[in-house]
Structures are given as C-alpha cells and as structure tokens.
Amino acid sequence: MDISIDEIDQIINQEAFGEGSLIAALEAIQARYNFLPSEAIILASDRFGVPLSQIYSVATFYNAFSLKPKGKHCLQVCMGTACHVRGSPQVLDRIQTKLGIEPGETSRDHLFTLETVNCLGACALGPIVVTDGEYSGQMNVQKADQLLKTILRAEVKA
Amino acid sequence: VAGKVHRPFSIVGGDLHLLTGNCGKGQITNITKYEESGGYSMLRKALAQPPSAIVDEVKAAGLVGRGGAAFPTGAKWEAVAASNSPIRYVVCNADEAEPGTFKDRVVIEDDPHRVIEGLAICGYAVGAHQGYIYIRGEYTLQYWILNAAVDEARQAGVLGKNILGSDFDFDIEIRRGAGAYICGEETALFESIEGKRGFPRVKPPFPTTFGLFGKPTVINNVETLINIPLILQLGSAGYRQFGTEKSPGPKLFCISGDVVHPGLYEVPFGVTFRHLLYDLAGGMRPGSQFQAALFGGAAGAFAVEQNLDVRLTFEDLRAAGLPLGSGVITVFDQSRDLLDILLRLGHFFADESCGKCYPCQLGTQRQYEILQRLADGRALPGDKERLLDIGWTMTDASLCGLGQTAASAVLSAMRLWPELFEFPNAVSSIGEQA
Ligand SMILES: NC(=O)C1=CN([C@@H]2O[C@H](COP(=O)(O)OP(=O)(O)OC[C@H]3O[C@@H](n4cnc5c(N)ncnc54)[C@H](O)[C@@H]3O)[C@@H](O)[C@H]2O)C=CC1
Ligand SMILES: Cc1cc2nc3c(=O)[nH]c(=O)nc-3n(C[C@H](O)[C@H](O)[C@H](O)COP(=O)(O)O)c2cc1C
Ligand code: SF4
Ligand code: FES
C-alpha cells in the first residue's frame, strides 16, 4: 500500500481537536493503513508536539495498534470464558490449520491476519469470530470453513 | 448508522424493565422515540431545581456504583460539587471489558439517549460543563450509535449552550479505547484520554479531587448513570421500593455459558441466583447439569450448588464470599474442565497486566505458568503453595484493582476444589506417580 504523507497529514489534522486526541489520530491512521507507518509516527510527533518516545510508548501499549502491516482481512477469535466453554478452541484450531498461521501472524500473501481476543461482550452468542469488524455468532468448525470460503470467493472475484 | 457491521442480537429479559424498557426490541431508540417514552423530561426537571437537590436525591436513593466496586454514587457527586475548582469533568465509563459483561453494550446500542441524559444530569448536579464518554475500542458499531445520538442531542438543544433553554452549558465528547482492559480502571482511563499509556495512578488522591486533566472528576459506569433519570422519576422513596435496604434499585445481570437463554436480565436486587438461572435464563442446557458459576468475571469467584439460593445483593453475596462485580455470571456444566477455565483466566491476566508494578507484572506471569503445569498434569512439588503465595502477594501488594483481583478466581477454586491442585495432581496420579 502506498503511504502518502499528505494523506496522513490530513488525517491528523481532522483528528487534532483539543487536548489528548493523539490516540484518536493514531486510531484513524491505523484504520486507514491497517498499521502505523513510521512516517505517520514521525509526523504525529511533530504535529502534536509530543516526543517520539511517547508516541512509541502509546503505539506499543494498545492492542489496536500495530507497527507491522496487517493482512487485508482480520480474523479475531474470541477466547473469553463463555466462548471458550462453548468451543472457540476448536474453531481457532480449524482456522489456524486452514490458513497455516498462528494467532498474531499474517499470511504470506498479506490477505489474512489471525488474532485471538478476550471477551468482546457478545458472550450470549458465543463462540464469536469477528471478521473485519463483523460479528459471527455460534461458530463451529463448519461455519468457520464457510466464513473463510466467503472471503476467498469475494477476493477471487475482485 | 454508518458501517456494514450488523447488530449482534441479544436476549433482554427479566422481572423489571425500568432501565431496559427501550432495549431488546431490535432497534435503536432515536431521540424522537426516546422523548415519546418520557426521555429527557428528567433532565428538564433537574434543570429546574438547584443542583444540590439532585445530589441529595441520589444520596437518599442509596445508589451505589454499578461498575463493580459499589461505591456510593451520591458521595462522589457531593465531593465534586463541593470542590472549589472552576473546571470539573464528568466521565461515563463505557469501557466494559470484564469478560462476560455486555450490559453497557446493549444499553448503548438500543437506548443511547438514556446514557446522555444521565451524564447531563450528573454534569448539572456537580457543576461540570464538559462530559466524556470513554467507549471500548472494540465496540465499533456502538461508537457510531452513540456518536449519532450525541449529534441528535446537540441539534435538539439537549447538549451545547443553554441546554433545553436553561442557563446551563453542557457538551459531551466521545473517546474510544484502543484495546486495553486496564483502561477501564478509572485513573488509567484518564491517562488514556490524556493521550498516554493506560497506566493506573496511585489512589488517593481519588478522581473526586484529582481526576481527568488533574481536575475534580465524577466517573460513573453506564449502568450507574442510567439509574439517575429513574431516581428523579420515582423519587428516592419510590426507587427504594425496588431492591433491599442496602442494595436499592434494579440491577442488570449478564448471564452466559451453559444456559438455555444466555442474555441480559433486569431484576430487583434480592432475587435469588436460582431464580435468575432457572426462571429467567431457562436453566441448564438440555442434558447438562450445573457444576459451578463464575461470579464477577475474570476477577471473580466461583459459586457452587449450595449457593443457588443466595440472594443477589451486595450484602448477601459478600457474606457468601462472592463478588457481584459488574453483574456478570458465567455458568459451567458438569463437563467443563475447571483447570482449563482457570488457565484461560490466568492467560487473560498475564496478557492484560499493564506492567507498571512488579507484584502483578511478575505475579500474573508466574501464576499462568503454574496453572499451565497443573493443566498439563506436570505440576512440580510445592506448586500449590507457590500458587497460594503468588495469589496473596498480588492481592495485597498490587497497585490497582487488576492485580488485586488477578488471583481471586484461582484462590476461590483452591478453596472449593483443593484436590485439583494437589501434587501429584489428578493426571499424574493415574499412573506415572504410583
Ligand atoms: N465493568 C467492567 O467491565 C469491569 C469492572 N471491574 C470492577 O472494578 C472494580 C474495582 O474498581 P476500582 O475503581 O479499582 O475500585 P475502588 O474501590 O478503588 O473505587 C470505586 C469507586 O469509588 C471511588 N472512591 C473510593 N474511595 C473513595 C473516596 N474515599 N473518595 C472518593 N471516591 C472514592 C473511586 O474513585 C471509584 O470511582 C472491581 O470490583 C471490579 O468488579 C473490573 C474490571 C472490568
Ligand atoms: C482493571 C479494572 C478494570 C475496570 N473496568 C471497568 C469498566 O470497564 N467499566 C466500569 O464502569 N468500571 C470499570 N472499573 C471500575 C472503575 O475503576 C471505577 O470504579 C468505576 O468506573 C466507577 O464507576 P461506578 O462508581 O459508577 O461503578 C475497572 C476497574 C479495574 C480495577
Ligand atoms: S496491578 Fe497490574 S494492572 Fe494494576 S498497575 Fe500494577 S501491573 Fe498495572
Ligand atoms: S466470551 Fe466471547 S464474547 Fe464474551
């Protein structure tokens, strides 16, 4: 993906409303590029007038930020207690095998990033898998296969 | 509302619908519908009274915080109202990340204006002109719903200058978390709003004197705030008709796990756990038997069969050694491996410890390692004692609530099922050790 300094600048300017909106700006950059490019971190340091070290400290603290490019599609398997007892380990296992990556990894073709997350507040519907922000409830191995197939089919068409 | 994200459907039920009247209908209550159901009339009523009258009413109602620690809400408000700082803040804690909790999510999703009304009344009562809502980063859809509601409220003159024609100014800014459980802890939450790592501060000073941006701040949970319009509507005496003397009012419970109808249930404080589990949540899933329930989420403790008739109030649960926490109950049937559940909890805390203080930073890691050995059936001699030692150390010496409760579930399991932790433990005693 091309990183445009102008675009980053725009995003930062949009988010720079008042004290402490650094995190909001980083969130917007993360949402746009799926990671925090070093260019963006340097620019944010300049615009917000905070030292680089503080921006790194923030960027490495919160789970939502990544300093490495993530895949185009993000799969998150909930490993919270309620989902766990309802079978999320089996679902995770299946997705891991199908994609050939472990949680925290991105596939070679940069199509998928697999993550495990703690309770997402949808426990009544567990096990939960989130694909690009979309919740799928009551997951099982078959439904996981289906989910991956749907994404791949859309990719082939695109 | 923007986004392709669809709404996860949640069952909303219970004996009461005082707080959840507009919830569980599969639709967002916009400002028109909210006002039709009586919404914002309590803010109007509040603005016509002196702020101190509202603080008094909240105190008289006996409302205690629903975020988990059950601190008297009126006492916090009174402290901030009495401060001599001209700048004060009110903050709504919508970070909801306690595993198993989803009450705040449902309320924000279905009835966002109730939260805004509660926060605005709070702002007026304590003399704050700026409110913040800090919402969990993972709650994307809910963020957009809240955003739209705040816009609607501004357009309707409920927020902004001279709200509802009064001489009081009040506005709300929404901030999103970025995926850190610790940021639900109030002082870590302030740090996060200020644009820093979510490291908790040492308390005292409490937020009421040194809160957001160092100013006196009231911070309340979403559920606490939606009780405010209800208190003004019913009056403190009417409000106290529900619940018990020490735990007045309605309470939202999130029940999930091996039950027929996992969901959100509104009940008066004082119903029994049995009522919630069997009458409301439909009992155990077909073919399964009750083994245990985790009360209070990851930071909680286990209830067993003998606890089924315990009344769900702060005082009864405390006497039974169970935390009410944020009102979360996760139910396990007889087939569930308790060590495996503890292992997940151990992983959760090791993962979420912010690392600021040693007892928790190291303790959560060591606790997880020992739980791993136990779960794998390769415990070492002395592991049980080590686990106890770590647990007590974290409970006593950690800086914030995360570390102080990181061993709570483990210690409770050790009291209930000591045999699981014996050396040689269950697995090795089958043969290897004999
Ligand atoms: N809802 C959720 O998702 C989660 C809830 N929790 C709950 O959080 C609880 C722990 O919260 P903490 O804030 O650490 O508890 P705490 O006991 O330190 O404080 C409770 C509230 O009372 C206030 N307070 C206490 N003493 C005060 C005083 N003397 N003057 C003025 N204000 C005072 C505090 O500022 C805070 O707002 C746990 O019980 C747990 O159940 C924990 C994790 C997640
Ligand atoms: C680790 C940790 C996480 C917390 N997470 C939340 C949370 O997600 N939501 C919440 O309302 N309170 C949470 N709390 C409790 C807050 O610190 C604080 O007590 C609460 O917001 C006060 O509101 P209340 O008086 O209305 O309950 C958490 C506490 C700790 C120690
Ligand atoms: S107890 Fe844990 S979470 Fe709290 S400050 Fe210490 S290390 Fe951080
Ligand atoms: S445990 Fe998965 S959503 Fe709560």
Side-chain angles (χ1 to χ4, degrees):
Chain A
M1 186 186 294
D2 289 338
I3 313 261
S4 142
I5 298 285
D6 284 346
E7 191 181 34
I8 296 175
D9 207 26
Q10 243 174 24
I11 298 176
I12 291 179
N13 282 335
Q14 265 165 24
E15 294 293 333
F17 41 65
E19 220 170 330
S21 50
L22 169 67
I23 292 179
L26 295 183
E27 268 164 4
I29 295 165
Q30 170 84 37
R32 169 67 183 85
Y33 293 106
N34 265 338
F35 79 117
L36 299 178
S38 55
E39 293 89 335
I41 292 184
I42 294 167
L43 205 63
S45 160
D46 184 55
R47 291 290 186 278
F48 281 92
V50 289
L52 267 182
S53 60
Q54 190 187 327
I55 301 200
Y56 271 101
S57 132
V58 167
T60 51
F61 184 81
Y62 295 96
N63 289 334
F65 301 133
S66 164
L67 297 176
K68 279 191 305 204
K70 280 199 191 176
K72 185 167 170 200
H73 302 286
C74 187
L75 293 176
Q76 299 172 307
V77 183
C78 179
M79 296 303 272
T81 320
C83 289
H84 183 80
V85 303
R86 287 195 161 204
S88 57
Q90 288 83 324
V91 173
L92 176 66
D93 226 44
R94 181 61 159 221
I95 299 178
Q96 243 170 280
T97 323
K98 286 261 161 167
L99 296 182
I101 48 176
E102 303 261 312
E105 292 180 351
T106 298
S107 63
R108 276 249 189 90
D109 54 7
H110 275 268
L111 212 48
F112 293 102
T113 295
L114 178 61
E115 291 174 348
T116 58
V117 288
N118 294 317
C119 179
L120 291 160
C123 326
L125 314 164
I128 300 279
V129 173
V130 183
T131 39
D132 301 325
E134 182 133 9
Y135 285 62
S136 308
Q138 288 157 345
M139 289 298 291
N140 51 36
V141 171
Q142 290 78 20
K143 280 169 113 177
D145 287 350
Q146 205 53 50
L147 210 63
L148 290 178
K149 235 186 243 160
T150 317
I151 300 177
L152 282 172
R153 213 175 283 144
E155 277 301 325
V156 172
K157 272 202 203 126
Chain B
V1 167
K4 54 178 180 149
V5 190
H6 68 83
R7 287 148 56 82
F9 176 76
S10 308
I11 296 178
V12 178
D15 302 329
L16 299 174
H17 292 283
L18 299 168
L19 302 173
T20 54
N22 292 334
C23 298
K25 299 185 170 154
Q27 57 179 26
I28 304 165
T29 312
N30 63 19
I31 194 161
T32 317
K33 279 185 259 167
Y34 185 62
E35 289 192 308
E36 274 165 21
S37 71
Y40 288 123
S41 56
M42 291 305 125
L43 174 59
R44 242 175 260 275
K45 185 173 167 185
L47 291 167
Q49 297 174 37
S52 61
I54 297 153
V55 175
D56 289 343
E57 198 69 39
V58 171
K59 274 177 77 180
L63 175 66
V64 299
R66 305 289 200 246
F71 190 82
T73 306
K76 281 204 237 182
W77 289 26
E78 193 170 43
V80 173
S83 104
N84 48 25
S85 161
I87 300 178
R88 308 155 194 189
Y89 295 106
V90 290
V91 179
C92 169
N93 189 343
D95 194 51
E96 189 165 72
E98 187 61 49
T101 316
F102 46 88
K103 62 192 177 68
D104 302 345
R105 170 178 71 75
V106 172
V107 169
I108 290 172
E109 226 169 84
D110 291 358
D111 206 9
H113 286 283
R114 198 173 296 269
V115 184
I116 297 173
E117 184 171 12
L119 190 60
I121 298 174
C122 175
Y124 176 71
V126 306
H129 298 287
Q130 181 64 46
Y132 284 87
I133 301 178
Y134 186 92
I135 184 165
R136 186 174 178 194
E138 286 85 346
Y139 285 180
T140 317
L141 172 70
Q142 294 73 15
Y143 166 74
W144 287 112
I145 292 177
L146 208 49
N147 226 347
V150 166
D151 281 346
E152 278 184 332
R154 276 197 198 116
Q155 265 154 33
V158 171
L159 294 176
K161 287 227 165 294
N162 302 99
I163 64 172
L164 294 172
S166 69
D167 55 8
F168 182 68
D169 303 341
F170 185 75
D171 212 339
I172 292 177
E173 188 174 320
I174 307 173
R175 285 302 182 85
R176 300 183 64 187
Y181 171 71
I182 189 60
C183 287
E185 198 280 334
E186 51 190 12
T187 59
L189 186 154
F190 300 151
E191 294 282 312
S192 178
I193 294 186
E194 293 173 15
K196 293 177 263 178
R197 279 190 166 203
F199 274 167
R201 304 173 185 163
V202 177
K203 291 192 281 192
F206 289 101
T208 44
T209 49
F210 188 88
L212 183 61
F213 301 115
K215 303 295 179 202
T217 303
V218 168
I219 177 163
N220 275 129
N221 175 252
V222 170
E223 186 189 346
T224 313
L225 289 171
I226 61 169
N227 270 276
I228 302 298
L230 181 68
I231 290 173
L232 296 191
Q233 184 196 333
L234 301 176
S236 53
Y239 181 83
R240 280 181 172 277
Q241 304 262 302
F242 301 96
T244 64
E245 169 67 28
K246 290 204 179 101
S247 306
K251 176 76 192 105
L252 305 180
F253 282 95
C254 306
I255 184 163
S256 59
D258 295 315
V259 299
V260 179
H261 302 301
L264 174 68
Y265 296 95
E266 178 177 349
V267 295
F269 273 111
V271 300
T272 62
F273 174 37
R274 188 187 293 280
H275 174 66
L276 180 65
L277 174 58
Y278 288 97
D279 302 337
L280 298 177
M284 301 300 293
R285 286 206 279 191
S288 73
Q289 256 172 6
F290 179 81
Q291 175 180 214
L294 185 61
F295 274 56
F302 289 98
V304 288
E305 187 98 42
Q306 291 87 293
N307 300 119
L308 275 174
D309 288 306
V310 69
R311 296 197 321 155
L312 300 173
T313 66
F314 288 109
E315 60 278 16
D316 290 88
L317 287 175
R318 196 171 302 131
L322 295 167
L324 185 101
S326 48
V328 41
I329 299 177
T330 315
V331 178
F332 307 108
D333 72 17
Q334 80 293 348
S335 71
R336 303 302 174 194
D337 176 353
L338 294 163
L339 274 179
D340 189 42
I341 291 163
L342 291 176
L343 186 64
R344 277 304 312 166
L345 297 179
H347 178 269
F348 172 76
F349 283 112
D351 204 29
E352 295 292 353
S353 166
C354 83
K356 180 171 176 171
C357 72
Y358 287 126
C360 165
Q361 184 202 70
L362 301 176
T364 53
Q365 300 290 341
R366 296 292 96 82
Q367 172 173 272
Y368 180 49
E369 286 163 13
I370 298 175
L371 289 170
Q372 252 171 337
R373 290 202 289 269
L374 282 162
D376 293 352
R378 44 182 187 85
L380 302 172
D383 266 356
K384 184 183 182 186
E385 290 70 26
R386 270 191 285 273
L387 201 53
L388 276 175
D389 190 33
I390 291 170
W392 291 332
T393 308
M394 284 199 288
T395 309
D396 289 346
S398 295
L399 179 77
C400 86
L402 189 149
Q404 288 158 13
T405 56
S408 164
V410 172
L411 293 176
S412 117
M414 291 180 89
R415 278 191 299 274
L416 288 167
W417 306 284
E419 65 283 1
L420 287 178
F421 302 86
E422 290 305 339
F423 174 84
N425 66 12
V427 178
S428 43
S429 64
I430 293 171
E432 299 164 48
Q433 203 59 39

